[in-house]
Short mmCIF file of all heavy atoms in Angstrom, two decimals:
data_model
loop_
_atom_site.label_atom_id
_atom_site.label_comp_id
_atom_site.label_asym_id
_atom_site.label_seq_id
_atom_site.Cartn_x
_atom_site.Cartn_y
_atom_site.Cartn_z
N ARG B 190 -7.31 -7.53 -11.61
CA ARG B 190 -8.31 -7.13 -10.60
C ARG B 190 -7.98 -5.77 -9.96
O ARG B 190 -8.76 -5.29 -9.14
CB ARG B 190 -8.41 -8.20 -9.53
CG ARG B 190 -8.94 -9.53 -10.04
CD ARG B 190 -9.16 -10.52 -8.88
NE ARG B 190 -7.94 -10.87 -8.19
CZ ARG B 190 -7.64 -10.53 -6.94
NH1 ARG B 190 -8.48 -9.78 -6.23
NH2 ARG B 190 -6.48 -10.91 -6.39
N PHE B 191 -6.85 -5.19 -10.28
CA PHE B 191 -6.40 -3.97 -9.64
C PHE B 191 -6.61 -2.77 -10.57
O PHE B 191 -6.34 -2.84 -11.76
CB PHE B 191 -4.91 -4.05 -9.28
CG PHE B 191 -4.60 -5.15 -8.31
CD1 PHE B 191 -4.14 -6.39 -8.74
CD2 PHE B 191 -4.72 -4.95 -6.93
CE1 PHE B 191 -3.85 -7.40 -7.84
CE2 PHE B 191 -4.42 -5.95 -6.02
CZ PHE B 191 -3.98 -7.19 -6.48
N THR B 192 -7.08 -1.67 -9.99
CA THR B 192 -7.20 -0.42 -10.71
C THR B 192 -6.63 0.69 -9.84
O THR B 192 -7.03 0.86 -8.68
CB THR B 192 -8.65 -0.06 -11.03
OG1 THR B 192 -9.20 -1.07 -11.87
CG2 THR B 192 -8.75 1.29 -11.76
N ALA B 193 -5.66 1.40 -10.38
CA ALA B 193 -5.12 2.58 -9.70
C ALA B 193 -5.77 3.80 -10.30
O ALA B 193 -6.02 3.89 -11.53
CB ALA B 193 -3.60 2.65 -9.85
N GLN B 194 -6.09 4.77 -9.47
CA GLN B 194 -6.72 6.01 -9.91
C GLN B 194 -5.87 7.18 -9.40
O GLN B 194 -5.50 7.21 -8.23
CB GLN B 194 -8.16 6.11 -9.38
CG GLN B 194 -9.06 5.00 -9.84
CD GLN B 194 -10.42 5.07 -9.20
OE1 GLN B 194 -10.55 5.27 -8.00
NE2 GLN B 194 -11.48 4.87 -9.99
N LEU B 195 -5.61 8.13 -10.26
CA LEU B 195 -4.82 9.30 -9.89
C LEU B 195 -5.54 10.58 -10.22
O LEU B 195 -6.06 10.73 -11.36
CB LEU B 195 -3.49 9.27 -10.61
CG LEU B 195 -2.54 10.47 -10.43
CD1 LEU B 195 -2.16 10.63 -8.97
CD2 LEU B 195 -1.29 10.33 -11.30
N ASN B 196 -5.60 11.49 -9.27
CA ASN B 196 -6.18 12.80 -9.49
C ASN B 196 -5.17 13.81 -8.96
O ASN B 196 -5.10 14.06 -7.75
CB ASN B 196 -7.52 12.93 -8.76
CG ASN B 196 -8.19 14.28 -9.03
OD1 ASN B 196 -7.53 15.29 -9.16
ND2 ASN B 196 -9.51 14.28 -9.08
N LYS B 197 -4.35 14.39 -9.86
CA LYS B 197 -3.27 15.27 -9.42
C LYS B 197 -3.82 16.58 -8.88
O LYS B 197 -3.24 17.18 -7.99
CB LYS B 197 -2.31 15.52 -10.58
CG LYS B 197 -1.46 14.29 -10.92
CD LYS B 197 -0.44 14.65 -11.99
CE LYS B 197 0.39 13.43 -12.33
NZ LYS B 197 1.40 13.73 -13.37
N ALA B 198 -4.95 17.03 -9.42
CA ALA B 198 -5.54 18.28 -8.92
C ALA B 198 -5.93 18.14 -7.44
O ALA B 198 -5.77 19.10 -6.67
CB ALA B 198 -6.74 18.66 -9.78
N SER B 199 -6.43 16.99 -7.06
CA SER B 199 -6.83 16.75 -5.69
C SER B 199 -5.73 16.13 -4.88
O SER B 199 -5.89 15.89 -3.67
CB SER B 199 -8.07 15.85 -5.65
OG SER B 199 -9.14 16.45 -6.34
N GLN B 200 -4.60 15.83 -5.54
CA GLN B 200 -3.46 15.21 -4.86
C GLN B 200 -3.89 13.92 -4.18
O GLN B 200 -3.63 13.71 -2.97
CB GLN B 200 -2.78 16.19 -3.91
CG GLN B 200 -2.19 17.35 -4.67
CD GLN B 200 -1.66 18.45 -3.75
OE1 GLN B 200 -2.05 19.59 -3.86
NE2 GLN B 200 -0.78 18.08 -2.88
N TYR B 201 -4.49 13.07 -4.95
CA TYR B 201 -5.17 11.88 -4.43
C TYR B 201 -4.88 10.70 -5.35
O TYR B 201 -4.95 10.82 -6.58
CB TYR B 201 -6.68 12.18 -4.39
CG TYR B 201 -7.58 11.07 -4.00
CD1 TYR B 201 -7.91 10.83 -2.69
CD2 TYR B 201 -8.14 10.25 -4.99
CE1 TYR B 201 -8.78 9.85 -2.33
CE2 TYR B 201 -9.01 9.23 -4.64
CZ TYR B 201 -9.34 9.05 -3.30
OH TYR B 201 -10.21 8.05 -2.96
N VAL B 202 -4.53 9.58 -4.75
CA VAL B 202 -4.33 8.36 -5.54
C VAL B 202 -5.00 7.21 -4.77
O VAL B 202 -4.98 7.19 -3.54
CB VAL B 202 -2.83 8.10 -5.79
CG1 VAL B 202 -2.04 7.99 -4.51
CG2 VAL B 202 -2.61 6.88 -6.64
N SER B 203 -5.64 6.34 -5.53
CA SER B 203 -6.36 5.24 -4.86
C SER B 203 -6.06 3.93 -5.55
O SER B 203 -5.55 3.90 -6.70
CB SER B 203 -7.86 5.51 -4.87
OG SER B 203 -8.37 5.50 -6.19
N LEU B 204 -6.38 2.86 -4.88
CA LEU B 204 -6.26 1.49 -5.43
C LEU B 204 -7.55 0.77 -5.16
O LEU B 204 -8.01 0.71 -4.01
CB LEU B 204 -5.09 0.76 -4.77
CG LEU B 204 -4.86 -0.67 -5.25
CD1 LEU B 204 -4.31 -0.67 -6.69
CD2 LEU B 204 -3.89 -1.41 -4.33
N LEU B 205 -8.14 0.23 -6.22
CA LEU B 205 -9.34 -0.59 -6.08
C LEU B 205 -8.94 -2.04 -6.37
O LEU B 205 -8.23 -2.31 -7.35
CB LEU B 205 -10.43 -0.16 -7.08
CG LEU B 205 -10.93 1.26 -6.94
CD1 LEU B 205 -11.95 1.57 -8.05
CD2 LEU B 205 -11.53 1.50 -5.58
N ILE B 206 -9.41 -2.92 -5.51
CA ILE B 206 -9.20 -4.38 -5.74
C ILE B 206 -10.58 -4.98 -5.92
O ILE B 206 -11.39 -5.00 -4.98
CB ILE B 206 -8.47 -5.01 -4.55
CG1 ILE B 206 -7.18 -4.26 -4.22
CG2 ILE B 206 -8.18 -6.47 -4.85
CD1 ILE B 206 -6.47 -4.76 -2.97
N ARG B 207 -10.82 -5.45 -7.14
CA ARG B 207 -12.13 -6.09 -7.42
C ARG B 207 -12.04 -7.57 -7.08
O ARG B 207 -10.98 -8.18 -7.09
CB ARG B 207 -12.48 -5.90 -8.91
CG ARG B 207 -12.84 -4.52 -9.31
CD ARG B 207 -13.26 -4.47 -10.79
NE ARG B 207 -12.17 -4.93 -11.64
CZ ARG B 207 -11.11 -4.20 -11.94
NH1 ARG B 207 -11.01 -2.97 -11.47
NH2 ARG B 207 -10.15 -4.69 -12.74
#
Side-chain angles (χ1 to χ4, degrees):
Chain B
R190 295 186 296 112
F191 299 95
T192 299
Q194 299 174 316
L195 175 61
N196 183 326
K197 290 185 180 179
S199 301
Q200 296 173 237
Y201 174 90
V202 58
S203 66
L204 179 71
L205 300 178
I206 307 174
R207 289 183 301 282

